[in-house]
Amino acid sequence: MTTYVYGITRVGHTGLPRDLTGIGDPPLPVRLVTQGSLAAVVSDCPEELRPKRRDLLAHQHVLAEAGREDPVLPMRFGSVSDGDEKVRQVLDEHAGRYEEQLGRLAGRVEYNIKAVHREDVVLHLVLAENAGLRTLAEANRADGGGSYEERLRFGEMVAEGVRERELRDAALVREALVPLAEDDRPGPESAGWFVNLSFLVDRSDTGRLLAEVGRLGKENPQLDLKVYGPLPPYSFVE
């Protein structure tokens, strides 16, 4: 039977409920595999492991429960080993690195912040800041909407203005939030947002980070800020 690994913690972990279950249908019991001062949070692995929503949520739930009291190095969904003995070998081989990371992440959580623009608000700002755009818009309206070439030129100028505003607002978000975190990592780029940052934060400092996100949104109505967390510190585990 292969072993599914959720995360790595220390022996003496106190935050693992006795009846905790994880992935599988029916859900499989979660247990600890120990080696020296370290322990892996594991369960048996189903014969067919696929990224189904139920199992993805179960993986997240196990990590959330396991990390309530003690630090846990979270593994990505789908981390499988060839049995408990192999897990013990890996814990033994990499004990020093795991202990170092557990010490660094003790009492810390991850928050992911994404930002998009509220389209109507940012377009108003772009027009307000660019006299040439306002002039062209007025000329097009006076000309019944303008020619195809004029409308195309106007659209290109607006798009460029929005891109410039994205760069400015991304810098604004970083400058406000980075000083409140112990570490930060960029997430994957996407057309869906212009900011995707993960922050490593001491649990006692989460209020400051969330308050600053609230201030940014209030003072900059063009920003639509999405906050995800607290999360296991995936982005900060090597």
Side-chain angles (χ1 to χ4, degrees):
M1 176 69 73
T2 55
T3 300
Y4 185 92
V5 185
Y6 300 88
I8 298 168
T9 185
R10 291 191 175 102
V11 169
H13 187 286
T14 59
L16 200 64
R18 290 185 179 180
D19 58 350
L20 183 62
T21 57
I23 63 171
D25 186 15
L28 294 163
V30 174
R31 63 184 189 277
L32 294 178
V33 172
T34 63
Q35 175 64 35
S37 62
L38 296 171
V41 182
V42 308
S43 68
D44 290 341
C45 185
E47 291 185 6
E48 292 188 7
L49 179 62
R50 297 177 181 176
K52 298 179 181 178
R53 176 176 172 80
R54 198 213 70 81
D55 282 340
L56 290 170
L57 292 176
H59 181 97
Q60 288 286 100
H61 176 68
V62 169
L63 287 172
E65 289 295 319
R68 287 187 185 278
E69 302 295 335
D70 301 293
V72 175
L73 302 181
M75 304 294 283
R76 298 287 182 182
F77 179 85
S79 298
V80 178
S81 184
D82 295 329
D84 289 5
E85 186 56 37
K86 182 61 177 180
V87 173
R88 293 188 182 92
Q89 291 177 17
V90 173
L91 291 177
D92 185 57
E93 291 171 6
H94 302 284
R97 182 159 59 92
Y98 292 150
E99 285 282 7
E100 180 183 357
Q101 291 190 64
L102 284 166
R104 184 171 68 90
L105 298 180
R108 276 76 176 173
V109 293
E110 177 176 335
Y111 276 88
N112 176 258
I113 311 294
K114 292 181 172 66
V116 296
H117 273 143
R118 292 188 171 91
E119 186 175 355
D120 55 340
V121 181
V122 75
L123 289 178
H124 177 78
L125 286 174
V126 168
L127 287 171
E129 294 171 350
N130 191 318
L133 266 178
R134 295 197 304 275
T135 299
L136 183 57
E138 292 167 1
N140 286 348
R141 280 197 297 271
D143 193 28
S147 66
Y148 171 79
E149 290 76 13
E150 290 169 334
R151 295 195 304 272
L152 181 62
R153 179 185 171 213
F154 179 75
E156 290 173 345
M157 291 176 66
V158 169
E160 181 61 28
V162 171
R163 283 193 292 269
E164 291 177 358
R165 189 77 204 194
E166 287 179 350
L167 293 174
R168 289 165 55 188
D169 284 341
L172 176 69
V173 172
R174 284 190 56 85
E175 290 169 4
L177 300 183
V178 166
L180 302 180
E182 295 185 5
D183 200 357
D184 62 274
R185 301 284 170 85
E189 294 185 3
S190 169
W193 48 76
F194 62 87
V195 169
N196 181 12
L197 289 171
S198 288
F199 298 95
L200 183 66
V201 186
D202 190 290
R203 289 184 186 274
S204 63
D205 289 334
T206 59
R208 288 201 307 154
L209 180 75
L210 296 177
E212 185 64 8
V213 172
R215 183 195 67 80
L216 279 171
K218 184 176 181 180
E219 295 182 4
N220 301 275
Q222 78 277 13
L223 293 177
D224 185 4
L225 297 167
K226 310 291 186 182
V227 180
Y228 303 92
L231 304 168
Y234 287 111
S235 302
F236 303 93
V237 175
E238 298 176 5

